Amino acid sequence: MRIALAEDHFLLREGLVRLLGAYGHEVVAAVDNGTELLDTLVRERPDVAVVDVRLPPTFTDEGLRAVLAARERLPDLPVLLLSQYVEPLYARELLAGGGRGVGYLLKDRVTNGTQFLDSIRRVAEGGTAMDPEVVAKLMVRKERDAAVGSLSEREREVLQWVAQGRSNAGIAQGLFISEKAVAKHIGNIFAKLGLLQADADNRRVLAVLAYLDQ
């Protein structure tokens, strides 16, 4: 997998390069600012971009802005955002652009290399990888939307796990229900959100986007 990396902390950036390389991935570029990131994404067209939200010079949202600008030219560019903070606005801006392959992880909660690499893979394949804290923040905002009223409490709970990139088996295990029950809930979610004509994997992404996007 060809990966573009943007992280301003030298040790973390080099550590990620080594980690990704050790698992057989090619880091096509590892940059520390938004300007270089945008140029790199447009030039290299990586399979996925792993991007720190806050980059020099202002350390506000340069990483996100570079990603959004790149997605104007490459709409299907998969992006996994990394941040030290839960920033619902950043997540909504990324989701608002549409397209497949989106993720938002909190740095302090990435404690397992295998899970981190699995999140990158899911995003690169067009799926989602949202930290539960980010999803919870977004859901609080969405609770006020009328469309959410059509989903039951259990369906919202299942969709929250879908947003984290969990399989039906993983959701069943986490909620202590059967896979058959999970499949039924997901079918109901698709129907209530009007997602009736698409392949199964794409509908999962569209369901998350429809629910979390502002």
Side-chain angles (χ1 to χ4, degrees):
M1 186 159 44
R2 299 176 68 254
I3 301 173
L5 175 65
E7 167 59 54
D8 64 294
H9 289 286
F10 171 76
L11 291 179
L12 180 54
R13 184 173 66 251
E14 291 304 305
L16 288 172
V17 170
R18 291 178 181 274
L19 173 66
L20 295 170
Y23 281 84
H25 301 301
E26 178 188 0
V27 179
V28 297
V31 303
D32 65 358
N33 64 83
T35 301
E36 284 188 70
L37 173 60
L38 176 57
D39 293 341
T40 294
L41 295 178
V42 173
R43 181 181 68 252
E44 298 291 345
R45 296 175 178 249
D47 297 319
V48 60
V50 179
V51 178
D52 186 356
V53 171
R54 299 185 176 190
L55 294 173
T58 67
F59 294 97
T60 54
D61 59 359
E62 283 87 353
L64 174 66
R65 294 302 165 198
V67 162
L68 294 176
R71 274 197 155 191
E72 291 181 1
R73 307 185 205 183
L74 307 170
D76 293 324
L77 174 68
V79 176
L80 175 62
L81 293 180
L82 294 175
S83 179
Q84 290 181 297
Y85 312 96
V86 179
E87 298 280 8
L89 176 61
Y90 294 159
R92 287 196 298 272
E93 287 198 51
L94 178 62
L95 292 167
R100 301 178 62 183
V102 292
Y104 191 129
L105 300 181
L106 298 179
K107 291 181 180 180
D108 290 345
R109 289 164 57 88
V110 178
T111 59
N112 184 294
T114 300
Q115 291 179 353
F116 177 59
L117 291 165
D118 184 58
S119 296
I120 295 175
R121 177 190 57 78
R122 287 202 309 271
V123 171
E125 292 175 352
T128 58
M130 306 291 289
D131 186 280
E133 285 195 20
V134 176
V135 175
K137 289 276 188 176
L138 290 168
M139 282 186 165
V140 167
R141 180 73 174 270
K142 294 300 288 185
E143 289 292 341
R144 296 192 293 269
D145 290 358
V148 176
S150 67
L151 299 179
S152 69
E153 182 178 351
R154 176 61 87 180
E155 287 164 354
R156 291 197 299 271
E157 199 171 18
V158 168
L159 188 51
Q160 182 171 358
W161 285 72
V162 171
Q164 297 171 37
R166 300 297 185 93
S167 64
N168 283 15
I171 296 171
Q173 182 178 16
L175 296 179
F176 302 102
I177 59 179
S178 69
E179 287 189 50
K180 183 176 180 180
V182 172
K184 181 178 180 180
H185 287 311
I186 290 177
N188 290 339
I189 291 167
F190 290 160
K192 290 179 180 181
L193 295 179
L195 303 173
L196 304 179
Q197 301 295 327
D199 66 83
D201 288 340
N202 193 39
R203 283 202 295 177
R204 293 174 82 94
V205 176
L206 291 174
V208 172
L209 295 178
Y211 194 57
L212 300 181
D213 191 12
Q214 286 280 40

